Amino acid sequence: MTGAYGRRWRIGAGIALVTAIFGAMVPGSANARELGFSDAVYADDGSHISRVVPLDGRRSTVYVYSAAMNRDIALRVMRAADTSVPRPALYLLNGAEDGLDADGTEVSWETRTDLVDFMADQNVNVVTVLDGRYTYYTDWEFDDPMLGRNKWTTFLTRELPPILDSALGSSGRNAVVGVSMSATSSLALAEAAPGLYQSVGSFSGCAQTSTDPGRRFLQAVVLSGGGNPGNIWGPDNSRAWTENDPSTPANLEKLRGVNLFVAAGTGANPATAGGGQVGASSTALESTVETCTRGLQSSIESLGIPATFEYVPGGGHNWPTWQQDFHNVWPSLAKSLGV
C-alpha cells in the first residue's frame, strides 16, 4: 500500500520483533499494545522503531533508526490520555544545548518545564526530540567531523511522521513547536513539508538565517558544538543559505494557512531572567531575538499571512519564558489539532 508522502511501509514483518522487545522490557506486559504502540513499522529505506524504553504507563524513550542519517534517534513519547480513538501529534524541539548529553543527562521540555503535568489530561501524543544538538534540525550539505551526518528535515518530515502515525494510531494532524535554535527550525520544517503541520510555534528565534544577525547566530550555535558552519549550506554567500532561510517571501508563502504563533521576550529584567540562559546574558540575547521577531512580523504582515505574534514583558531566553509561551499558545494549538 502507499502511505503518506508517497512512501510504502511494511508493517507486519516487524510486529513480532517489537512486541517481543516491549514485552521483555515491561514486567507483566503481554505485548506492545499495553504501552500504547499498536504496530512496528518499517519503511522500504530501512527506517524503523528500533528500541523502546518505558518510563511509566504513558511515557517511553523511543529510538527510531533514520536511514538518512544511518543511526538511531532518541525521542520521548508521551501517549495521549485516551487512546481509544486516533489522536494528533505534537512535536517538540529543544534548543541548541538541550536534549540527551553523552552521559545521559537530559535537558528538555520534560525536565525544564511543567510539560508532563500540563499535558496529563490532553488527548495528544507528545513527541520530544532528544537528539540534534547544534544542528538547526536541517539537512546539511556535508557530513561534519564533529556533528556527523545531519538530515533532520528528511527525518522529521518524511521518515518519522508516518512511522509514528502507524505505531501510535495517530489521526494524522500535527503541530510542531521549537525554542531558540529550533524556533527557526519549526518554521523551516513546516515550509519544507506543506500540509504536514496544522500549527507551528516559534519561541525566541531569529529566523533570518541568510542575513545578519540570524546567520551569525546559526554559525555561533554550530561552532559552540564543535561543528563547521560551512558544512550546513556551504559558504556564506551560497544560494543554499537563501533557499533555506525561512524568512524569505517565497518560503513564508508556504506558511499561509498554518496556525502560526511566534513569541519573544521584551524588556527582559536581568534580575528575574533565570532559567536556561540567565541574567544579563539572557536579557541581551532576547533583546536581539525581539528585533529579529519584529522583522519577521513585518515581513509576514506585508504578505498578508495570518499569524499571532506575542511579546512577553520581561521574558528572557530561557525555559521559564518558553513554558509561559507554551501555556499561552496551547488553546490555539489544541483547536487546530481538533482536541
Side-chain angles (χ1 to χ4, degrees), residues 187 207-208 247 252 262 292-300 309:
L187 299 171
Q208 300 87 340
S247 72
L252 288 175
V262 184
C292 294
T293 302
R294 293 193 184 278
L296 179 64
Q297 181 176 6
S298 178
S299 297
I300 286 179
F309 283 79

Side-chain angles (χ1 to χ4, degrees), residues 186 229 339:
S186 65
V339 298

Side-chain angles (χ1 to χ4, degrees), residues 35-288:
L35 286 177
F37 291 76
S38 59
D39 295 304
V41 182
Y42 285 75
D44 282 351
D45 64 8
S47 299
H48 61 275
I49 295 175
S50 62
R51 185 160 58 103
V52 178
V53 180
L55 301 178
D56 55 39
R58 289 177 56 194
R59 296 163 56 245
S60 302
T61 302
V62 179
Y63 296 86
V64 176
Y65 174 76
S66 165
M69 290 187 274
N70 191 29
R71 63 185 180 91
D72 286 350
I73 306 300
L75 313 167
R76 178 66 41 70
V77 176
M78 179 178 176
R79 297 291 275 119
D82 178 0
T83 59
S84 61
V85 299
R87 298 300 185 186
L90 169 64
Y91 290 87
L92 299 177
L93 307 176
N94 288 306
E97 298 179 345
D98 303 323
L100 280 174
D101 205 345
D103 64 359
T105 301
E106 179 181 336
V107 176
S108 72
W109 283 86
E110 285 201 358
T111 65
R112 289 296 185 267
T113 74
D114 63 355
L115 177 75
V116 174
D117 289 338
F118 186 78
M119 300 297 289
D121 60 348
Q122 299 298 324
N123 288 317
V124 177
N125 295 314
V126 181
V127 181
T128 304
V129 181
L130 299 177
D131 205 336
R133 301 171 81 192
Y134 311 110
T135 67
Y136 265 80
Y137 293 110
T138 189
D139 279 4
W140 288 36
E141 289 197 2
F142 307 103
D143 292 353
D144 189 85
M146 179 62 70
L147 299 179
R149 175 166 297 174
N150 294 292
K151 298 294 181 184
W152 290 97
T153 302
T154 297
F155 178 70
L156 292 170
T157 65
R158 295 172 57 193
E159 294 179 332
L160 181 63
I163 289 174
L164 288 186
D165 283 354
S166 294
L168 301 176
S170 297
S171 68
R173 297 185 69 82
N174 306 291
V176 60
V177 176
V179 299
S180 188
M181 173 191 80
S182 66
T184 299
S185 311
S186 65
L187 299 171
L189 290 167
E191 293 168 351
L196 178 58
Y197 306 106
Q198 280 64 56
S199 283
V200 173
S202 177
F203 307 160
S204 295
C206 195
Q208 300 87 340
T209 56
S210 64
T211 58
D212 296 341
R215 175 172 50 188
R216 300 308 174 201
F217 269 26
L218 186 155
Q219 292 169 340
V221 164
V222 174
L223 286 169
S224 68
N228 180 353
N231 287 329
I232 303 179
W233 302 312
D236 268 15
N237 296 323
S238 66
R239 186 172 63 180
W241 281 81
T242 301
E243 291 174 344
N244 286 281
D245 184 338
S247 72
T248 66
N251 284 331
L252 288 175
E253 280 292 344
K254 299 172 186 176
L255 296 176
R256 193 178 295 277
V258 174
N259 178 43
L260 181 59
F261 182 96
V262 184
T266 182
N269 180 355
T272 61
Q277 297 280 338
V278 296
S281 172
S282 171
T283 303
L285 186 53
E286 198 67 7
S287 177
T288 303

